[in-house]
Coordinates of all heavy atoms in Angstrom, one line a residue:
V1 N -12.7 143.8 -8.6 CA -11.3 143.8 -8.3 C -10.6 142.6 -8.9 O -9.5 142.7 -9.5 CB -11.1 143.9 -6.7 CG1 -9.6 143.7 -6.4 CG2 -11.6 145.2 -6.2
V2 N -11.2 141.4 -8.7 CA -10.6 140.2 -9.2 C -10.5 140.3 -10.8 O -9.5 140.0 -11.4 CB -11.3 139.0 -8.8 CG1 -10.7 137.7 -9.4 CG2 -11.3 138.9 -7.2
A3 N -11.6 140.7 -11.4 CA -11.6 140.8 -12.8 C -10.6 141.8 -13.3 O -9.9 141.5 -14.3 CB -13.0 141.3 -13.3
R4 N -10.4 142.9 -12.7 CA -9.4 143.9 -13.1 C -8.0 143.3 -13.0 O -7.2 143.5 -13.9 CB -9.5 145.2 -12.3 CG -10.7 146.1 -12.7 CD -10.5 147.5 -12.1 NE -10.4 147.5 -10.7 CZ -11.4 147.7 -9.9 NH1 -12.6 148.1 -10.3 NH2 -11.3 147.7 -8.6
F5 N -7.7 142.6 -11.9 CA -6.4 142.0 -11.7 C -6.2 141.0 -12.8 O -5.1 141.0 -13.5 CB -6.3 141.3 -10.4 CG -5.1 140.5 -10.2 CD1 -3.9 141.0 -9.9 CD2 -5.2 139.1 -10.4 CE1 -2.7 140.3 -9.8 CE2 -4.0 138.3 -10.3 CZ -2.8 138.9 -10.0
L6 N -7.1 140.1 -13.1 CA -7.0 139.1 -14.2 C -6.7 139.8 -15.5 O -5.9 139.3 -16.3 CB -8.1 138.2 -14.2 CG -8.3 137.3 -13.0 CD1 -9.6 136.5 -13.1 CD2 -7.2 136.4 -12.7
Q7 N -7.5 140.8 -15.8 CA -7.3 141.5 -17.1 C -6.0 142.2 -17.2 O -5.3 142.1 -18.2 CB -8.4 142.5 -17.3 CG -9.8 141.8 -17.6 CD -11.0 142.7 -17.5 OE1 -10.9 143.7 -16.9 NE2 -12.1 142.2 -18.1
K8 N -5.5 142.8 -16.1 CA -4.2 143.5 -16.1 C -3.1 142.5 -16.3 O -2.1 142.8 -17.0 CB -4.0 144.2 -14.8 CG -2.7 144.9 -14.6 CD -2.6 145.6 -13.3 CE -1.2 146.2 -13.2 NZ -0.8 146.5 -11.8
E9 N -3.2 141.3 -15.7 CA -2.2 140.3 -15.8 C -2.4 139.3 -17.0 O -1.7 138.3 -17.1 CB -2.1 139.5 -14.5 CG -1.8 140.3 -13.3 CD -0.4 141.0 -13.4 OE1 0.5 140.4 -13.9 OE2 -0.3 142.1 -12.9
N10 N -3.3 139.6 -17.9 CA -3.6 138.8 -19.1 C -4.0 137.4 -18.7 O -3.6 136.4 -19.3 CB -2.5 138.8 -20.1 CG -2.3 140.2 -20.7 OD1 -3.2 140.9 -21.0 ND2 -1.0 140.6 -20.7
L11 N -4.8 137.2 -17.6 CA -5.2 135.9 -17.1 C -6.7 135.7 -17.2 O -7.2 134.6 -16.8 CB -4.8 135.8 -15.7 CG -3.3 135.8 -15.4 CD1 -3.0 135.9 -13.9 CD2 -2.6 134.6 -16.0
A12 N -7.5 136.7 -17.7 CA -8.9 136.6 -17.8 C -9.3 135.3 -18.6 O -8.8 135.0 -19.7 CB -9.5 137.8 -18.5
G13 N -10.3 134.6 -18.1 CA -10.8 133.4 -18.7 C -10.0 132.1 -18.5 O -10.4 131.1 -18.9
Q14 N -8.8 132.2 -17.9 CA -8.0 131.1 -17.6 C -8.4 130.4 -16.3 O -9.1 131.0 -15.5 CB -6.5 131.5 -17.5 CG -5.9 132.0 -18.8 CD -4.5 132.2 -18.7 OE1 -3.7 131.5 -18.0 NE2 -4.0 133.3 -19.3
E15 N -8.1 129.1 -16.1 CA -8.3 128.4 -14.9 C -7.4 129.0 -13.8 O -6.2 128.9 -14.0 CB -8.1 126.9 -15.1 CG -9.1 126.3 -16.0 CD -10.5 126.1 -15.3 OE1 -10.5 125.8 -14.1 OE2 -11.5 126.2 -16.0
I16 N -7.9 129.6 -12.8 CA -7.1 130.2 -11.7 C -7.6 129.7 -10.4 O -8.8 129.8 -10.0 CB -7.3 131.7 -11.7 CG1 -6.9 132.3 -13.1 CG2 -6.5 132.4 -10.6 CD1 -5.4 132.3 -13.4
P17 N -6.7 129.0 -9.6 CA -7.1 128.6 -8.2 C -7.1 129.9 -7.3 O -6.2 130.7 -7.4 CB -6.1 127.6 -7.8 CG -4.9 127.9 -8.7 CD -5.4 128.5 -10.0
L18 N -8.1 130.0 -6.4 CA -8.1 131.2 -5.6 C -8.3 130.7 -4.1 O -9.1 129.9 -3.8 CB -9.4 132.0 -5.9 CG -9.7 133.2 -5.0 CD1 -8.7 134.3 -5.3 CD2 -11.1 133.7 -5.2
G19 N -7.5 131.3 -3.3 CA -7.6 131.1 -1.8 C -8.0 132.5 -1.3 O -7.5 133.5 -1.8
F20 N -8.9 132.5 -0.3 CA -9.2 133.8 0.3 C -9.4 133.7 1.8 O -9.7 132.7 2.4 CB -10.5 134.4 -0.4 CG -11.8 133.8 0.0 CD1 -12.6 134.5 0.9 CD2 -12.3 132.6 -0.5 CE1 -13.9 134.0 1.2 CE2 -13.5 132.1 -0.2 CZ -14.3 132.8 0.7
T21 N -9.2 134.9 2.4 CA -9.4 135.0 3.8 C -10.7 135.6 4.1 O -11.2 136.5 3.5 CB -8.3 136.0 4.4 OG1 -7.0 135.5 4.1 CG2 -8.4 136.3 5.8
F22 N -11.4 135.0 5.1 CA -12.7 135.4 5.5 C -12.6 135.7 7.0 O -12.4 134.8 7.8 CB -13.8 134.3 5.2 CG -15.2 134.7 5.4 CD1 -15.8 135.6 4.5 CD2 -15.9 134.3 6.5 CE1 -17.1 136.0 4.7 CE2 -17.2 134.7 6.6 CZ -17.8 135.5 5.8
S23 N -12.8 137.0 7.4 CA -12.5 137.4 8.7 C -13.8 137.5 9.6 O -14.0 138.4 10.4 CB -11.9 138.8 8.7 OG -10.7 138.7 7.9
F24 N -14.6 136.5 9.5 CA -15.8 136.4 10.3 C -15.9 135.0 10.9 O -15.4 134.0 10.3 CB -17.1 136.8 9.5 CG -17.0 138.2 9.0 CD1 -16.5 138.4 7.7 CD2 -17.4 139.2 9.8 CE1 -16.5 139.7 7.2 CE2 -17.4 140.5 9.3 CZ -16.9 140.8 8.0
P25 N -16.7 134.8 12.0 CA -16.8 133.5 12.6 C -17.5 132.5 11.6 O -18.5 132.8 11.0 CB -17.7 133.7 13.8 CG -17.6 135.1 14.1 CD -17.3 135.8 12.8
M26 N -16.8 131.4 11.3 CA -17.4 130.4 10.4 C -17.1 129.0 10.9 O -16.2 128.8 11.7 CB -16.8 130.6 9.0 CG -15.4 130.2 8.9 SD -14.8 130.2 7.2 CE -13.0 130.4 7.5
A27 N -18.0 128.1 10.5 CA -17.8 126.7 10.8 C -17.2 126.1 9.5 O -17.8 126.1 8.5 CB -19.1 126.0 11.1
Q28 N -15.9 125.7 9.6 CA -15.2 125.2 8.4 C -15.3 123.7 8.3 O -14.9 123.0 9.1 CB -13.7 125.7 8.4 CG -13.1 125.5 7.1 CD -11.9 126.4 6.9 OE1 -11.5 127.2 7.8 NE2 -11.3 126.3 5.7
Q29 N -15.9 123.3 7.2 CA -16.1 121.9 6.9 C -15.0 121.2 6.2 O -14.8 120.0 6.3 CB -17.4 121.6 6.1 CG -18.7 121.9 6.9 CD -19.0 123.4 7.0 OE1 -18.6 124.2 6.1 NE2 -19.8 123.8 8.0
S30 N -14.3 122.0 5.4 CA -13.1 121.5 4.6 C -12.3 122.7 4.2 O -12.6 123.8 4.6 CB -13.6 120.7 3.4 OG -14.1 121.7 2.4
L31 N -11.2 122.4 3.5 CA -10.3 123.5 3.1 C -11.0 124.5 2.3 O -10.7 125.7 2.4 CB -9.1 122.9 2.3 CG -8.1 123.9 1.8 CD1 -7.4 124.6 2.9 CD2 -7.0 123.2 1.0
S32 N -12.0 124.1 1.5 CA -12.7 125.1 0.6 C -14.2 125.3 1.0 O -14.9 125.7 0.1 CB -12.5 124.7 -0.8 OG -13.1 123.4 -1.0
E33 N -14.6 125.0 2.2 CA -16.0 125.1 2.5 C -16.1 125.6 4.0 O -15.6 125.0 4.9 CB -16.7 123.7 2.4 CG -18.1 123.7 2.6 CD -18.8 122.4 2.4 OE1 -18.1 121.4 2.0 OE2 -19.9 122.2 2.7
G34 N -16.9 126.6 4.1 CA -17.1 127.2 5.5 C -18.4 128.0 5.5 O -18.7 128.7 4.6
T35 N -19.2 127.7 6.6 CA -20.5 128.4 6.7 C -20.4 129.6 7.7 O -19.8 129.4 8.8 CB -21.6 127.5 7.1 OG1 -21.3 126.8 8.3 CG2 -21.9 126.5 6.0
L36 N -20.9 130.7 7.4 CA -20.9 131.9 8.3 C -21.8 131.5 9.5 O -22.9 131.1 9.4 CB -21.5 133.1 7.5 CG -21.6 134.4 8.4 CD1 -20.2 134.8 8.9 CD2 -22.3 135.4 7.6
V37 N -21.2 131.7 10.7 CA -21.9 131.5 11.9 C -22.7 132.8 12.3 O -23.9 132.7 12.7 CB -20.9 131.1 13.1 CG1 -21.6 131.1 14.4 CG2 -20.3 129.8 12.7
K38 N -22.1 133.9 12.2 CA -22.7 135.2 12.5 C -21.9 136.3 12.0 O -20.7 136.2 11.8 CB -23.0 135.4 14.0 CG -21.7 135.6 14.8 CD -22.0 135.8 16.3 CE -20.7 136.0 17.1 NZ -20.9 136.4 18.5
W39 N -22.5 137.4 11.7 CA -21.8 138.7 11.3 C -21.3 139.3 12.6 O -21.9 139.3 13.6 CB -22.7 139.6 10.6 CG -23.0 139.2 9.2 CD1 -24.2 138.9 8.7 CD2 -22.1 139.1 8.1 NE1 -24.1 138.5 7.3 CE2 -22.8 138.7 6.9 CE3 -20.7 139.3 7.9 CZ2 -22.2 138.5 5.7 CZ3 -20.1 139.1 6.7 CH2 -20.9 138.7 5.6
T40 N -20.1 140.0 12.5 CA -19.5 140.8 13.5 C -19.0 142.1 12.9 O -19.2 142.3 11.7 CB -18.4 140.0 14.2 OG1 -17.4 139.7 13.2 CG2 -18.9 138.7 14.9
K41 N -18.4 142.9 13.7 CA -17.7 144.1 13.2 C -18.7 145.1 12.6 O -18.3 145.8 11.7 CB -16.5 143.8 12.3 CG -15.6 142.8 12.9 CD -14.5 142.3 11.9 CE -13.8 141.2 12.4 NZ -12.9 140.6 11.4
G42 N -20.0 145.0 12.9 CA -20.9 146.0 12.4 C -21.5 145.5 11.0 O -22.3 146.3 10.5
F43 N -21.2 144.4 10.5 CA -21.7 143.9 9.3 C -23.0 143.2 9.5 O -23.2 142.5 10.6 CB -20.8 143.0 8.5 CG -19.6 143.7 7.9 CD1 -18.5 144.0 8.6 CD2 -19.6 144.0 6.6 CE1 -17.4 144.6 8.1 CE2 -18.6 144.6 6.0 CZ -17.5 145.0 6.7
D44 N -24.0 143.3 8.6 CA -25.2 142.5 8.7 C -25.9 142.4 7.3 O -26.8 143.2 7.0 CB -26.2 143.3 9.7 CG -27.4 142.5 9.9 OD1 -27.4 141.2 9.7 OD2 -28.4 143.1 10.4
C45 N -25.4 141.5 6.5 CA -25.9 141.2 5.2 C -26.9 140.1 5.3 O -26.5 139.0 5.7 CB -24.8 140.9 4.2 SG -23.6 142.2 4.1
S46 N -28.1 140.2 4.8 CA -29.1 139.2 4.9 C -28.8 138.0 4.0 O -28.2 138.2 2.9 CB -30.5 139.8 4.7 OG -30.6 140.2 3.3
G47 N -29.3 136.9 4.4 CA -29.2 135.7 3.6 C -27.9 135.0 3.5 O -27.7 134.1 2.7
V48 N -27.0 135.3 4.4 CA -25.6 134.8 4.3 C -25.3 133.8 5.5 O -24.6 132.8 5.4 CB -24.5 135.9 4.3 CG1 -23.2 135.3 4.1 CG2 -24.8 136.8 3.1
I49 N -25.9 134.1 6.7 CA -25.7 133.2 7.8 C -26.1 131.8 7.5 O -27.1 131.6 6.9 CB -26.4 133.7 9.1 CG1 -25.8 135.1 9.5 CG2 -26.4 132.7 10.2 CD1 -26.4 135.8 10.6
D50 N -25.3 130.8 7.9 CA -25.5 129.4 7.6 C -25.3 129.0 6.2 O -25.6 127.9 5.7 CB -26.9 128.9 8.1 CG -27.0 129.0 9.6 OD1 -26.0 128.7 10.3 OD2 -28.2 129.2 10.0
Q51 N -24.7 129.9 5.4 CA -24.4 129.7 4.0 C -22.9 129.4 3.8 O -22.1 130.0 4.5 CB -24.8 130.8 3.1 CG -26.3 131.1 3.1 CD -27.1 130.0 2.6 OE1 -26.9 129.5 1.5 NE2 -28.1 129.6 3.3
N52 N -22.5 128.6 2.8 CA -21.1 128.4 2.5 C -20.6 129.6 1.8 O -20.9 129.8 0.6 CB -21.0 127.1 1.6 CG -19.6 126.8 1.2 OD1 -18.7 127.5 1.5 ND2 -19.4 125.7 0.6
V53 N -19.7 130.3 2.4 CA -19.2 131.6 1.9 C -18.3 131.3 0.6 O -18.2 132.2 -0.2 CB -18.5 132.4 2.9 CG1 -19.5 132.9 4.0 CG2 -17.3 131.7 3.5
A54 N -17.7 130.2 0.6 CA -16.9 129.9 -0.6 C -17.8 129.7 -1.8 O -17.5 130.2 -2.9 CB -16.0 128.6 -0.4
D55 N -18.9 129.0 -1.6 CA -19.9 128.9 -2.7 C -20.5 130.2 -3.2 O -20.6 130.5 -4.4 CB -21.0 128.0 -2.3 CG -20.7 126.5 -2.4 OD1 -19.6 126.2 -2.9 OD2 -21.5 125.7 -1.9
L56 N -20.7 131.1 -2.2 CA -21.3 132.4 -2.5 C -20.3 133.2 -3.4 O -20.7 133.8 -4.4 CB -21.6 133.2 -1.3 CG -22.8 132.6 -0.4 CD1 -22.9 133.4 0.9 CD2 -24.1 132.6 -1.2
L57 N -19.0 133.1 -3.0 CA -18.0 133.8 -3.8 C -17.8 133.2 -5.2 O -17.8 133.9 -6.2 CB -16.6 133.8 -3.1 CG -15.5 134.5 -3.8 CD1 -15.8 135.9 -4.2 CD2 -14.2 134.4 -3.0
S58 N -17.8 131.9 -5.2 CA -17.7 131.2 -6.5 C -18.9 131.5 -7.4 O -18.7 131.8 -8.6 CB -17.7 129.6 -6.3 OG -16.5 129.2 -5.7
N59 N -20.1 131.6 -6.9 CA -21.2 131.9 -7.7 C -21.1 133.4 -8.2 O -21.4 133.6 -9.4 CB -22.5 131.7 -6.9 CG -22.8 130.3 -6.6 OD1 -22.3 129.4 -7.3 ND2 -23.6 130.0 -5.6
A60 N -20.7 134.3 -7.4 CA -20.5 135.7 -7.8 C -19.5 135.8 -8.9 O -19.7 136.5 -9.9 CB -20.1 136.5 -6.6
L61 N -18.3 135.0 -8.8 CA -17.3 135.1 -9.8 C -17.7 134.5 -11.1 O -17.3 134.9 -12.2 CB -16.0 134.4 -9.3 CG -15.3 135.0 -8.1 CD1 -14.3 134.1 -7.5 CD2 -14.7 136.4 -8.5
S62 N -18.6 133.5 -11.0 CA -19.1 132.8 -12.3 C -20.0 133.7 -13.1 O -20.2 133.4 -14.3 CB -19.8 131.5 -12.0 OG -21.0 131.7 -11.3
N63 N -20.5 134.8 -12.5 CA -21.4 135.7 -13.2 C -20.6 136.8 -13.9 O -21.2 137.6 -14.6 CB -22.4 136.4 -12.2 CG -23.4 135.4 -11.7 OD1 -23.8 134.5 -12.5 ND2 -23.7 135.5 -10.5
I64 N -19.3 136.8 -13.9 CA -18.5 137.8 -14.5 C -17.6 137.1 -15.5 O -16.9 136.2 -15.2 CB -17.6 138.6 -13.5 CG1 -18.5 139.2 -12.4 CG2 -16.7 139.6 -14.2 CD1 -17.7 139.7 -11.2
E65 N -17.7 137.5 -16.8 CA -17.0 136.9 -17.9 C -15.5 136.7 -17.6 O -14.9 135.6 -17.7 CB -17.1 137.6 -19.2 CG -16.7 136.9 -20.4 CD -17.5 135.6 -20.6 OE1 -18.7 135.5 -20.4 OE2 -16.8 134.6 -21.0
A66 N -14.8 137.7 -17.1 CA -13.4 137.6 -16.9 C -13.0 136.7 -15.7 O -11.8 136.2 -15.7 CB -12.8 139.0 -16.6
T67 N -13.9 136.4 -14.8 CA -13.6 135.5 -13.7 C -14.2 134.2 -13.7 O -14.2 133.4 -12.7 CB -14.0 136.3 -12.4 OG1 -15.4 136.5 -12.4 CG2 -13.2 137.5 -12.2
K68 N -14.8 133.8 -14.8 CA -15.4 132.5 -14.9 C -14.5 131.3 -14.7 O -14.9 130.3 -14.2 CB -16.1 132.3 -16.3 CG -17.4 133.1 -16.4 CD -18.1 132.8 -17.7 CE -19.3 133.8 -17.8 NZ -20.5 133.2 -17.7
G69 N -13.2 131.4 -14.9 CA -12.3 130.4 -14.7 C -11.7 130.3 -13.3 O -10.9 129.4 -13.0
V70 N -12.1 131.2 -12.4 CA -11.6 131.2 -11.1 C -12.3 130.2 -10.2 O -13.5 130.1 -10.2 CB -11.7 132.6 -10.5 CG1 -11.3 132.6 -9.0 CG2 -11.0 133.7 -11.3
K71 N -11.5 129.4 -9.5 CA -12.1 128.3 -8.7 C -11.6 128.5 -7.3 O -10.4 128.6 -7.0 CB -11.7 126.9 -9.2 CG -12.2 125.8 -8.4 CD -11.9 124.5 -8.9 CE -12.5 123.4 -8.0 NZ -11.9 122.1 -8.2
V72 N -12.5 128.6 -6.3 CA -12.1 128.8 -4.9 C -11.6 127.4 -4.4 O -12.4 126.4 -4.4 CB -13.3 129.3 -4.1 CG1 -12.9 129.3 -2.6 CG2 -13.8 130.6 -4.5
V73 N -10.4 127.4 -4.0 CA -9.8 126.1 -3.6 C -9.4 126.2 -2.1 O -9.1 125.1 -1.5 CB -8.5 125.8 -4.4 CG1 -8.9 125.5 -5.9 CG2 -7.4 126.8 -4.3
A74 N -9.3 127.4 -1.5 CA -9.0 127.4 -0.1 C -9.6 128.6 0.6 O -9.8 129.7 0.0 CB -7.4 127.6 0.0
L75 N -10.0 128.4 1.8 CA -10.7 129.4 2.6 C -10.0 129.4 4.0 O -9.8 128.3 4.6 CB -12.2 129.0 2.7 CG -13.0 129.7 3.8 CD1 -13.2 131.2 3.5 CD2 -14.4 129.1 3.7
A76 N -9.6 130.5 4.5 CA -9.0 130.6 5.8 C -9.4 131.8 6.6 O -9.9 132.8 6.0 CB -7.5 130.6 5.7
N77 N -9.4 131.7 7.9 CA -9.6 132.9 8.7 C -8.4 133.8 8.6 O -7.3 133.4 8.2 CB -10.2 132.7 10.1 CG -9.1 132.1 11.0 OD1 -7.9 132.3 10.8 ND2 -9.5 131.6 12.1
D78 N -8.5 135.0 9.1 CA -7.4 136.0 8.9 C -6.1 135.6 9.7 O -5.0 135.7 9.2 CB -7.8 137.4 9.2 CG -8.6 137.6 10.5 OD1 -8.7 136.6 11.3 OD2 -9.0 138.7 10.8
T79 N -6.3 135.0 10.9 CA -5.1 134.6 11.7 C -4.4 133.4 11.0 O -3.1 133.4 10.9 CB -5.6 134.2 13.1 OG1 -6.2 135.3 13.7 CG2 -4.4 133.8 13.9
A80 N -5.1 132.4 10.5 CA -4.5 131.3 9.8 C -3.8 131.8 8.5 O -2.7 131.4 8.2 CB -5.5 130.3 9.5
G81 N -4.4 132.7 7.8 CA -3.9 133.3 6.6 C -2.6 134.0 6.9 O -1.6 133.9 6.1
T82 N -2.5 134.8 8.0 CA -1.3 135.5 8.3 C -0.2 134.5 8.7 O 1.0 134.7 8.3 CB -1.6 136.4 9.6 OG1 -2.6 137.3 9.2 CG2 -0.4 137.1 10.0
Q83 N -0.5 133.5 9.4 CA 0.5 132.5 9.7 C 1.1 131.8 8.5 O 2.3 131.7 8.3 CB 0.0 131.5 10.7 CG 1.0 130.6 11.3 CD 1.4 129.4 10.5 OE1 0.5 128.8 9.8 NE2 2.7 129.0 10.4
V84 N 0.2 131.4 7.6 CA 0.7 130.8 6.4 C 1.5 131.7 5.5 O 2.6 131.3 5.0 CB -0.5 130.2 5.5 CG1 -0.1 129.8 4.2 CG2 -1.2 129.1 6.3
A85 N 1.1 132.9 5.4 CA 1.9 133.9 4.6 C 3.2 134.1 5.3 O 4.3 134.2 4.6 CB 1.1 135.2 4.5
G86 N 3.3 134.2 6.6 CA 4.5 134.4 7.3 C 5.5 133.2 7.1 O 6.7 133.4 6.9
S87 N 4.9 132.0 7.1 CA 5.7 130.8 7.0 C 6.3 130.6 5.6 O 7.3 129.9 5.4 CB 5.0 129.6 7.4 OG 3.9 129.3 6.5
L88 N 5.8 131.3 4.6 CA 6.4 131.2 3.3 C 7.7 131.9 3.2 O 8.7 131.4 2.6 CB 5.5 131.9 2.2 CG 4.2 131.1 1.9 CD1 3.3 132.0 1.0 CD2 4.5 129.8 1.2
K89 N 7.9 133.0 3.9 CA 9.2 133.7 3.9 C 10.0 133.2 5.1 O 11.2 133.2 5.0 CB 8.9 135.2 4.0 CG 10.2 136.0 3.9 CD 10.0 137.5 3.7 CE 11.3 138.1 3.5 NZ 11.2 139.5 3.2
Y90 N 9.4 132.9 6.2 CA 10.1 132.5 7.4 C 9.6 131.1 7.9 O 8.6 131.0 8.6 CB 9.8 133.5 8.6 CG 10.2 134.9 8.2 CD1 9.3 135.9 7.8 CD2 11.6 135.3 8.2 CE1 9.6 137.2 7.4 CE2 11.9 136.6 7.9 CZ 11.0 137.5 7.5 OH 11.3 138.8 7.1
P91 N 10.3 130.1 7.4 CA 9.8 128.7 7.7 C 9.6 128.4 9.2 O 8.9 127.5 9.5 CB 10.9 127.8 7.1 CG 11.5 128.7 6.0 CD 11.4 130.1 6.5
N92 N 10.3 129.1 10.0 CA 10.1 128.9 11.5 C 9.0 129.6 12.1 O 8.8 129.6 13.3 CB 11.4 129.2 12.2 CG 12.5 128.2 11.9 OD1 12.2 127.0 11.7 ND2 13.7 128.6 11.9
C93 N 8.2 130.3 11.3 CA 7.0 131.0 11.8 C 5.9 130.0 12.2 O 5.5 129.2 11.5 CB 6.4 131.9 10.7 SG 4.9 132.8 11.2
H94 N 5.6 130.1 13.5 CA 4.6 129.1 14.1 C 3.3 129.8 14.6 O 2.5 129.1 15.1 CB 5.3 128.4 15.2 CG 6.5 127.6 14.8 ND1 6.4 126.4 14.1 CD2 7.8 127.8 15.0 CE1 7.6 126.0 13.9 NE2 8.5 126.8 14.4
C95 N 3.2 131.1 14.4 CA 2.0 131.8 14.9 C 1.6 132.9 14.1 O 2.5 133.6 13.5 CB 2.4 132.3 16.4 SG 1.0 133.1 17.2
G96 N 0.3 133.1 13.9 CA -0.2 134.3 13.2 C -1.0 135.1 14.2 O -1.6 134.5 15.1
I97 N -1.0 136.4 14.1 CA -1.8 137.2 15.1 C -2.4 138.4 14.3 O -1.8 139.0 13.4 CB -0.9 137.7 16.3 CG1 -1.8 138.4 17.3 CG2 0.2 138.5 15.8 CD1 -1.1 138.6 18.6
I98 N -3.6 138.7 14.6 CA -4.3 139.9 14.1 C -4.6 140.8 15.2 O -5.2 140.4 16.2 CB -5.6 139.5 13.4 CG1 -5.4 138.5 12.3 CG2 -6.3 140.7 12.9 CD1 -4.5 139.0 11.1
L99 N -4.2 142.1 15.1 CA -4.4 143.1 16.2 C -5.3 144.2 15.6 O -5.1 144.6 14.5 CB -3.1 143.6 16.7 CG -2.1 142.6 17.3 CD1 -0.8 143.3 17.6 CD2 -2.7 142.0 18.5
G100 N -6.2 144.7 16.3 CA -7.0 145.9 15.9 C -8.2 145.6 15.1 O -8.8 146.6 14.6
T101 N -8.7 144.4 15.0 CA -9.9 144.1 14.2 C -11.1 144.0 15.2 O -10.9 143.8 16.4 CB -9.8 142.9 13.4 OG1 -9.6 141.7 14.2 CG2 -8.7 143.0 12.3
G102 N -12.3 144.1 14.7 CA -13.5 143.9 15.6 C -13.9 145.3 16.2 O -13.4 146.3 15.8
T103 N -14.8 145.2 17.1 CA -15.4 146.4 17.7 C -15.1 146.3 19.2 O -14.9 145.3 19.8 CB -16.9 146.5 17.5 OG1 -17.5 145.3 17.9 CG2 -17.2 146.7 16.0

């Protein structure tokens, strides 16, 4: 998906900062580093718990020619991502909320 977007926008191979939302419990060590605590919502992929999910995404992107210039610079949970997105259009937005996720 990322590669197709970059190719469509003529950005393949360029340095691109990437922020992404990760909707699972994580221990966040910095803006761009967070380790998965546990899978929820019926997911269970082996070898990911206690791993830095930003590094896992970065490594996957580095294996695709069109996405080699993509650098993960920000990682947020879905509620924080919603609040930040809302505050871009509405500066007085002080809260993000996610309804209907999980089991």
